[in-house]
């Protein structure tokens, strides 16, 4: 279901209901760009620490706009053993709410825009009809503005003037305004005397004059009149004064209050959906979701905190339970049987044995997606597909139980090992960002920091290290890189700087790209590729054996100890 | 005529022809934002020097994208005494040309985007079908890439490897590639022996391997074969080898060269239109055109230079003759009879006496605009309207001649005083940026630089200076402003810092805005307003007298000295 500015309010209850009844959600975001740095590959070094990666993404990605948000809710129907889905595709745009509201600037990356354009993305929907939003601080400020206005209009104006926060003092009427104010008071006296007239429209005047009028009337006529500011068609503001009895005045105040509350809700806009997701505390699934999570927090809650540990805390408050399907698919028992963890390929792979496609049906009134005709990169569809991938993988875990379980729910202990671990793209030896505690600190004693002349290319590095067998190169900049050797003991050789003459080359696919003069820019699809990993083949085999051993050790589902469920499928500390 | 990526090439000759035959052009740009600073009013201080203003615009406006460019050409038809117009509305977008081409990042300002959206601007046309472009440096780089590729493919590969610029040396074949290369050579030998096969498709391989193949074949088979790299549907690159005689080989090379030249032209794209305008050397009209000129130079020529004098030089190379209708309308003899110089209001005003709307017709095959149903903020329409305004004002100048001249051409000396002076928005005492020489340096001995507590508002400043009559305030930041007094001698009073107690206020319209908590953001329409000027009324009257005197002094058109034409309507040095 497509949700834009014009149908947001009328459909919000459907969104709330879907969130309320769901077992879990899947989310996805589309952004106006990925990285404003020199190139994605230069920004994502294979030996980044999680802290470094966080800082890079925060610095180079947060100025882009998340302008499409996909939410797909999944509710299990036990009668028919199938999931009922409700998929929402929200268009989001920070339309300035009023003259004093923030005028957001965001960056667009032409390659990302061009990519989305080629996928048929509708930019007009975003910019003409995107749902506005406020983060928490902006919401607080707007609420304060309303409160202040109200207290002023209520005749409690003086109170707001002496508030130390607003730095506004009661204003005495300047000499040259006295006549103006006297005339206004005269007109109001006439109105109060009059039996025919109930309302009085004052001429448009300046904001300062309006303030003087409000102030004067609030002490001169605390009761009996209602004062309101309206706008002409030319956007000139003028004051309307009405004779009212106390009951009528209160009714009007309440009406106005309700209207203001509605305006405020409209301004908070899409953030209300994120609040509802957060408040539900339910499991939120994403695919390669670190950037989605960072953007969501940044855009709808508050600017990202300075360091990673604060970010973890904040994220856990907003999303207490996250699961990244890319991380799941890259972890045992899936790692060995899933080659390509890009969302599109993963979805295809999970339709084949040993997996089975989940039974899923879209709820009544919700259009159904056809996975045969791909609509990738529409956030709602990507969220839907992500949910399907999760279900297939979760259910596969159930097959290890004896007797096997066909349906593994979002509350099952089987999936807990995957909670709150977000896939770290292109990091060689740290598979995930751990939101629940300290991150993995792999030994990096086989990794060399190498500096060299600017002219050097990957082939030169391969040549330099050709005696050391299999090496992995992670470029830092033009003149330095991390080089990981297959054996830590080899590092000892490099106690002094070495300048080895050129020898034979051992080019790899990666190098070829550089040889072609490619700047390192990569497509969205490429970003999704799993990195070739430094792990030697023997390691992989070891894990396969471990899996077999685990399988044997499995006890029947009923007798699994629920206190230590993570022993079943632990996300390994070392990869 | 709407020009987008898909119809650009087929219509370019029409654009060229229109430029070729025109008497003058009008241009206009639409941008993704105006200012990325805190607020437009904070960035445009009323006492900016031209250098300061240039630096501010360069810093805070150049990251936005000029994404719609309007060009309207005007050709005078002496037979029917009317202008024939051709209006073009170009959508422009920096679509990355290939993997190594620049990935432009640009900023969007949500208020600007929202404003354009409300005017029905079609963002999909920009992002899906905008015409690409390269600046001169990017064009040069791309040309070099092609040259290098070609010399490599031509068998002159070795030459490019030893070029000191490319830092590429001839590569010896590494041990582990020798077998691969030998197999390739073997296959080619088979091909050369074969009588049936004329072509050989090699398997996709790495860029490094392709380089080795090219290099090997260029010395092993300098003649008799044609080597080409193609791409599979999966974007894998592979080499195709064809048996050819020398004639065929040359024909293919030429074909390829022509194709590359076309690709290059496609990449240079919209910049070709700007080059054609520049090369014509003809008069280019704009309304409040400083930002349009800056963006055009920045986006299609080269990043803006560090200081204003270099910018002036560069601009004069690109646009040797510019005329700003906002500056013209703000100058005598127009200043006194034109109240509002915003484009929409100016256009309306110039239809009334003493002006007369010009006789204008759109050329055959070009849709005509109807000025009755406004299409403001479509760049092509705005350019058209700007041209109309210029014609009306130019013709009005002709009415001062005796006998009066009804048609004043774009080559008339009457308009020369307005050349190369770009309107400076919101500067109190420097009306224009002078592209042809040093800028005006008005006396500012009546201007005070005032600092004050953060809490102060405009009203506090008025209060402080209430004894000095009419003052003008130009905010610099939260704690400082320029205050101009009406009499320079008053300044003497302020030899020591003064802290005057609060007195009565003298609020103005401007202040009222601030009182309302307005952040200083202003709409496009407001930006167009002429600043209320520090000039006392008596000054205006003096000018009116001067104009009358000028009128009297006018000699018949034929006898005007063509050597000193600027004496007729000189843009005054002081306002």
């Amino acid at each position: 279901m497509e949700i834009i500015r014009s149908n947001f309010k009328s459909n919000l209850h459907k969104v709330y209901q879907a969130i309320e009844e769901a077992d879990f959600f899947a989310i996805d975001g589309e952004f106006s760009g990925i990285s404003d740095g020199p190139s994605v590959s230069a920004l994502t070094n294979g030996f980044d620490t999680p802290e470094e990666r966080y800082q890079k993404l925060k610095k180079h990605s947060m100025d882009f706009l998340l302008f499409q948000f996909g939410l797909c809710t999944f509710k299990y129907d036990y009668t028919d053993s199938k999931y009922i889905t409700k998929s929402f595709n929200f268009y989001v745009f920070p339309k300035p709410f009023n003259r004093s509201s923030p005028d957001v600037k965001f960056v667009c990356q032409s390659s990302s825009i061009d990519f989305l354009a080629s996928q048929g993305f509708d930019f007009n929907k975003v910019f003409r009809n995107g749902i506005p939003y406020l983060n928490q601080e902006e919401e607080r400020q707007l609420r304060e503005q309303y409160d202040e206005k109200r207290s002023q209009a209520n005749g409690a104006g003086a109170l707001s003037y002496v508030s130390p926060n607003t730095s506004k003092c009661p204003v005495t009427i300047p000499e040259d305004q006295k006549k103006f104010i006297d005339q206004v008071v005269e007109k109001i006296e006439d109105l109060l005397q009059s039996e025919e007239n109930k309302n009085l429209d004052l001429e448009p005047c300046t904001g300062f004059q309006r303030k003087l009028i409000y102030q004067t009337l609030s002490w001169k006529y605390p009761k009996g009149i209602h004062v309101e500011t309206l706008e002409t068609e030319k956007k000139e503001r003028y004051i309307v004064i009405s004779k009212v009895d106390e009951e009528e005045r209160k009714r009007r105040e309440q009406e106005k209050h309700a209207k203001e509350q509605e305006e405020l809700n409209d301004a908070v806009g899409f953030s209300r959906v994120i609040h509802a997701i957060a408040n539900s505390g339910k499991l939120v699934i994403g695919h390669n979701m670190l950037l989605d999570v960072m953007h969501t927090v940044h855009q709808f809650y508050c600017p990202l905190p300075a360091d990673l540990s604060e970010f973890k805390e904040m994220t856990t408050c907003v999303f207490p339970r996250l699961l990244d399907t890319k991380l799941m698919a890259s972890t045992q028992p899936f790692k060995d049987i899933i080659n390509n963890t890009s969302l599109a390929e993963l979805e295809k792979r999970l339709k084949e044995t040993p997996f089975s496609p989940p039974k899923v049906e879209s709820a009544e009134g919700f259009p159904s997606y056809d996975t045969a005709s791909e609509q990738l990169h529409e956030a709602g569809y990507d969220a839907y597909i992500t949910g399907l991938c999760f279900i297939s993988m979760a259910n596969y875990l159930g097959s290890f139980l004896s007797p096997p379980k066909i349906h593994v729910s979002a509350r099952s202990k089987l999936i807990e090992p995957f909670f709150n671990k977000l896939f770290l793209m292109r990091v060689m030896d740290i598979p995930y960002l751990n939101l629940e505690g300290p991150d993995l600190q792999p030994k990096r004693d086989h990794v060399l920091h190498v500096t060299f002349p600017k002219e050097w290319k990957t082939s030169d590095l391969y040549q330099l290290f050709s005696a050391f067998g299999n090496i992995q190169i992670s470029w830092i900049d033009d003149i330095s890189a991390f080089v990981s050797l297959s054996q830590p003991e080899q590092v000892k050789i490099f106690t002094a700087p070495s300048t080895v003459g050129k020898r034979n080359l051992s080019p790899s696919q990666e190098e070829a790209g550089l040889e072609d003069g490619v700047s390192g820019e990569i497509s969205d699809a490429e970003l999704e590729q799993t990195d070739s990993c430094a792990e030697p083949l023997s390691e992989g085999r070891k894990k396969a054996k471990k899996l077999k051993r685990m399988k044997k050790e499995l006890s029947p589902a009923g007798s699994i100890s629920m206190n230590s469920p993570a022993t079943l499928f632990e996300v390994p500390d070392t990869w």
Side-chain angles (χ1 to χ4, degrees), chain A residues 490-511:
Chain A
Q490 291 174 339
V491 172
K492 290 169 199 156
I493 299 162
F494 295 90
T495 43
S498 166
T499 50
V500 183
K502 286 201 179 193
R503 297 196 212 157
N504 287 339
L505 306 179
S506 170
S508 75
Q509 196 70 35
E510 182 189 0
E511 164 196 18

Side-chain angles (χ1 to χ4, degrees), chain A residues 527-574:
Chain A
L527 273 175
E528 291 270 310
Q529 300 294 329
T530 321
D531 286 289
S532 63
C533 182
E535 174 190 72
L537 273 173
S538 60
E539 274 297 303
R541 279 198 293 274
K542 263 189 231 158
K543 275 178 196 153
K545 276 186 197 163
K546 193 179 164 196
L547 176 65
K548 276 189 193 160
R549 204 167 56 237
M550 286 202 302
K551 267 195 165 181
K552 276 193 219 157
E553 285 162 11
L554 283 175
S555 47
S559 69
I560 290 179
S561 158
M562 297 309 263
N563 288 326
S564 58
T567 50
L568 261 189
F569 300 100
E570 203 154 0
V571 180
D573 283 353
T574 56

Side-chain angles (χ1 to χ4, degrees), chain A residues 408-458:
Chain A
V408 172
S409 92
R411 275 168 295 274
S412 165
K413 297 283 174 184
L414 284 173
I415 56 169
E416 283 188 11
F418 303 100
F419 280 0
N420 296 331
K421 297 183 173 73
L422 305 189
F423 187 74
L424 275 182
M425 218 164 39
R426 303 183 152 235
V427 176
M428 292 205 177
D429 51 3
I430 309 176
Y432 58 83
L433 185 79
N434 182 19
L435 289 172
E436 284 178 345
D439 283 296
L440 304 177
Q441 292 193 302
K443 270 195 182 170
R444 286 182 173 171
D445 53 6
H446 62 303
V447 180
L448 295 167
H449 182 264
V450 186
T451 57
F452 37 80
K454 209 180 157 186
E455 291 72 27
W456 276 42
K457 289 168 291 174
T458 307

